Amino acid sequence: MTFADLQRDAHQVLSDWQAPDAAQEAVRREYLDHLSAHDDAVSRDGVPHHLTSGGFVFDPTLEQVALVLHTKARLWLQPGGHFEQTDATVVDAALREIREETGLPVRAEQTVVVDLHHHDLSAAFGRCRSHRDIRVAVVLDEPAEVVCSQESDRAAWWPVDALPSPTDPDLPATISRVRDQLRAASPRRAGRPTESAAAPNRS
């Protein structure tokens, strides 16, 4: 794959995606405008305001979400990062980032795009000025332990209703909304016993 291929895939994903509300629809349209204006919008070496990919990983009960303590941002966030030329698609990029940062066994068939988030970055991120995240959600079939990578200070499962601090101010509401969407799409999960995804790992 090339970044041009990834840019085409990002455009297709965003064109097909049904935003859950008016605010997300406005972001979707802004992303598409950005892709049309810049042919290097998915490369970290392209425009300083570029697209990135990441995801929310939930345990089988939808009660816990996997987060990492981001080294540069110094915040608890969902795993994610830049596209690589080895990524076949936007979803593959998100899954790669999740595997790299948490060690969790995520698969493409478990994955759905759920959120878009455009945020400015601090000077700690170098030439990058803002990230336009395309975020997926993954629900694991079985409990699994989070394994912290060298890219993060810590990684752990956290209760959706009791996220750690500090985090992005928008993240708690976003994760709750995404969980509600997933529950609505798969009602059987709402009634599952709340066995933890392995014991909550605060490594």
Side-chain angles (χ1 to χ4, degrees), residues 73-141:
R74 307 307 306 158
L75 298 171
W76 284 96
L77 301 169
Q78 77 288 341
H82 293 102
F83 292 99
E84 304 287 350
Q85 283 190 297
T86 53
D87 297 324
T89 64
V90 168
V91 168
D92 284 344
L95 296 178
R96 173 184 53 76
E97 289 287 346
I98 291 168
R99 295 186 193 108
E100 288 176 355
E101 296 184 19
T102 69
L104 291 170
V106 291
R107 305 191 311 274
E109 57 267 28
Q110 298 170 309
T111 308
V112 59
V113 175
V114 292
D115 185 64
L116 308 176
H117 190 271
H118 185 193
H119 50 275
D120 294 329
L121 301 171
S122 70
F125 287 81
R127 69 180 299 276
C128 300
R129 292 292 176 263
S130 75
H131 283 166
R132 288 172 165 84
D133 279 350
I134 300 177
R135 296 170 173 175
V136 305
V138 184
V139 182
L140 297 184
D141 293 328

Side-chain angles (χ1 to χ4, degrees), residues 20-168:
D21 54 41
Q24 284 284 283
E25 174 62 14
V27 180
R28 185 187 75 87
R29 291 179 179 275
E30 191 274 331
Y31 277 32
L32 287 169
D33 289 345
H34 188 72
L35 285 168
S36 297
H38 304 282
D39 60 9
D40 56 357
V42 300
S43 170
R44 77 177 77 198
D45 297 321
V47 289
H49 307 270
H50 43 256
L51 272 68
T52 47
S53 190
F56 304 111
V57 185
F58 294 87
D59 79 331
T61 70
L62 290 173
E63 295 296 331
Q64 304 225 9
V65 64
L67 300 178
V68 298
L69 183 57
H70 197 285
T71 302
K72 291 180 181 178
R74 307 307 306 158
L75 298 171
W76 284 96
L77 301 169
Q78 77 288 341
H82 293 102
F83 292 99
E84 304 287 350
Q85 283 190 297
T86 53
D87 297 324
T89 64
V90 168
V91 168
D92 284 344
L95 296 178
R96 173 184 53 76
E97 289 287 346
I98 291 168
R99 295 186 193 108
E100 288 176 355
E101 296 184 19
T102 69
L104 291 170
V106 291
R107 305 191 311 274
E109 57 267 28
Q110 298 170 309
T111 308
V112 59
V113 175
V114 292
D115 185 64
L116 308 176
H117 190 271
H118 185 193
H119 50 275
D120 294 329
L121 301 171
S122 70
F125 287 81
R127 69 180 299 276
C128 300
R129 292 292 176 263
S130 75
H131 283 166
R132 288 172 165 84
D133 279 350
I134 300 177
R135 296 170 173 175
V136 305
V138 184
V139 182
L140 297 184
D141 293 328
E142 301 292 338
E145 289 192 16
V146 171
V147 179
C148 186
S149 75
Q150 295 181 344
E151 297 186 18
S152 306
D153 287 348
R154 294 174 65 192
W157 288 107
W158 289 95
V160 171
D161 297 324
L163 298 185
S165 181
T167 188
D168 184 273

